Amino acid sequence: MTQRERQLLNWIEENPLISQQELADKAGITRSSVAVHISNLMKKGYITGKGYIVHTAPYVTVVGGVNVDIGGQPAGALVPQDSNPGTVGMSLGGVGRNIAHNMSLLGLDVRMVTAFGDDLNAQKIAASCGELGIDISRSPIIPGGRTSTYLFINDEKGDMVLAVSDMDIYRHLTPQVLSQRQKLLCGSQVVVIDTNIPAESIAWLAENCPVPIFADPVSTAKAVKLKPVLGKLHTIKPNRIEAELLSGVAITDEESLHKAADALLDTGLHRVFISLGSGGVFAADRSGGRLRLPVLPADMVNTTGCGDAFMAAIAWAYLQGTDLEDTAKAGLAASAIAIESGETINPSMSAEALRKRAGL
């Protein structure tokens, strides 16, 4: 769905009896152009029958990772091969889960497809998702499987010394498993994916899911899974290194930043948001929009959840029908809100707080 089609569909959902001329006046385009957009919406299944009978799909679906993070830190200098007095904490994470959590706080109806082991960690995550209103009912439980777990040990300064990542469970999110959930996926307004799932499953989604797909590359090691399907995605949010990997362009200055974005958009992508860390974000779309925005002022406490909040916000903003600049502002605002919390997800995240911070 194009941005103009999304804008028109929003107005039709608000007033199903609105005329084509009224839509043209609101959009600042001709009535014949509106007719073409409506015809496209009907072909894509978003509007059915006469009188603008809207096929509503008031939910988003996240396909990706959930994690239980277990971390320990000694009270003093770490002594190898010994038991160290200190503190041990447990928290819920995973890129997909974090994005879903943020989108739920932004007021979206969120469904999540992931894979769980048949264990206590799965029960902890399920309880949390239930409290947040995130529907995980279509996520398979793998008998004998282990829910994704990340175990790390820090030194007395808080710097990581070693870690063990157990994410084998995601190999069970096969194309066959996803095909059994095709109705759920195709009924979504947006599907958000992370690259914790297998490459063949990402390929299946790109080929069989006709709704806009927003992808988070997660890391350079996993981002390569997106390369074969870039042209079938709607939006991606890489950092500078991931953008270099996916575009094949070394980003060294403003000119090469534009070239990298152009290379990505030439694949067929609709939008790209390249995170530049403290340098803000560079956003570009297929209509020729190019802009670079600085980070918003914030009291930095914890940067861990900034990227996940950004992705949640740009998906939320897309559903509001916002243009490229306002979508980027929404992402930056969500990152600013996230960075001000000691938790990965700031419980103060909301659509109202985001709009206020972004000036929308």
Side-chain angles (χ1 to χ4, degrees):
M1 188 189 304
T2 67
Q3 203 62 19
R4 179 67 78 186
E5 289 167 358
R6 163 54 57 192
Q7 184 184 53
L8 293 174
L9 185 59
N10 282 346
W11 289 332
I12 290 170
E13 288 173 338
E14 292 171 1
N15 178 14
L17 299 179
I18 193 170
S19 69
Q20 289 188 5
Q21 187 58 57
E22 287 174 310
L23 287 170
D25 292 341
K26 287 172 74 71
I29 58 179
T30 65
R31 180 173 176 175
S32 59
S33 294
V34 170
V36 171
H37 289 307
I38 288 175
S39 175
N40 290 336
L41 286 167
M42 293 179 74
K43 290 175 183 177
K44 294 175 182 178
Y46 290 101
I47 296 176
T48 58
K50 296 180 179 179
Y52 303 148
I53 301 170
V54 179
H55 172 66
T56 56
Y59 65 90
V60 296
T61 301
V62 178
V63 184
V66 297
N67 237 44
V68 172
D69 297 331
I70 303 173
Q73 182 168 327
L78 187 65
V79 180
Q81 299 179 335
D82 198 1
S83 178
N84 290 257
T87 58
V88 175
M90 176 184 291
S91 61
L92 303 185
V95 173
R97 196 213 69 87
N98 290 347
I99 293 170
H101 189 161
N102 277 295
M103 289 199 296
S104 178
L105 293 176
L106 289 171
L108 298 178
D109 181 357
V110 186
R111 320 290 168 88
M112 182 156 192
V113 178
T114 188
F116 291 108
D118 188 10
D119 54 24
L120 289 175
N121 286 341
Q123 295 175 27
K124 291 179 183 295
I125 295 170
S128 174
C129 288
E131 292 174 1
L132 295 167
I134 299 171
D135 185 346
I136 56 169
S137 61
R138 300 306 308 278
S139 294
I141 297 174
I142 310 303
R146 298 181 303 275
T147 298
S148 180
T149 305
Y150 182 70
L151 174 66
F152 64 93
I153 301 293
N154 291 340
D155 62 19
E156 70 278 8
K157 298 177 182 178
D159 296 323
M160 189 183 74
V161 176
L162 60 88
V164 177
S165 178
D166 182 356
M167 296 187 176
D168 181 67
I169 194 77
Y170 297 129
R171 66 183 174 84
H172 294 281
L173 277 180
T174 62
Q176 181 182 6
V177 167
L178 294 178
S179 69
Q180 294 167 355
R181 292 149 178 82
Q182 190 164 12
K183 184 176 180 181
L184 169 74
L185 295 164
C186 293
S188 308
Q189 289 183 312
V190 163
V191 170
V192 180
I193 67 173
D194 71 37
T195 54
N196 285 306
I197 65 177
E200 59 269 24
S201 299
I202 291 174
W204 185 92
L205 286 166
E207 189 65 36
N208 295 280
C209 194
V211 303
I213 298 176
F214 285 51
D216 191 315
V218 178
S219 68
T220 52
K222 298 177 180 179
V224 292
K225 298 178 184 179
L226 298 177
K227 202 162 187 177
V229 300
L230 283 173
K232 296 180 180 179
L233 305 178
H234 186 282
T235 296
I236 63 169
K237 182 203 68 65
N239 60 27
R240 186 194 301 267
I241 300 174
E242 292 160 355
E244 289 180 335
L245 174 72
L246 293 171
S247 68
V249 177
I251 300 174
T252 57
D253 53 21
E254 197 71 20
E255 182 181 357
S256 57
L257 185 58
H258 281 255
K259 286 182 179 179
D262 289 340
L264 291 168
L265 293 170
D266 285 346
T267 65
L269 267 171
H270 290 264
R271 283 179 168 181
V272 57
F273 297 86
I274 302 176
S275 172
L276 303 172
S278 60
V281 66
F282 180 80
D285 63 20
R286 291 180 67 186
S287 65
R290 302 288 186 277
L291 58 96
R292 182 170 177 171
L293 296 176
V295 295
L296 295 176
D299 297 323
M300 187 174 73
V301 177
N302 174 24
T303 62
T304 306
C306 291
D308 302 333
F310 190 104
M311 175 58 87
I314 61 175
W316 171 87
Y318 167 77
L319 294 174
Q320 309 305 307
T322 59
D323 60 16
L324 181 69
E325 181 174 1
D326 283 348
T327 301
K329 287 180 178 178
L332 290 167
S335 294
I337 293 170
I339 208 171
E340 294 182 336
S341 173
E343 303 174 47
T344 302
I345 312 296
N346 191 335
S348 298
M349 182 72 73
S350 69
E352 182 180 0
L354 189 150
R355 286 192 181 98
K356 183 177 180 180
R357 185 67 71 97
L360 301 178

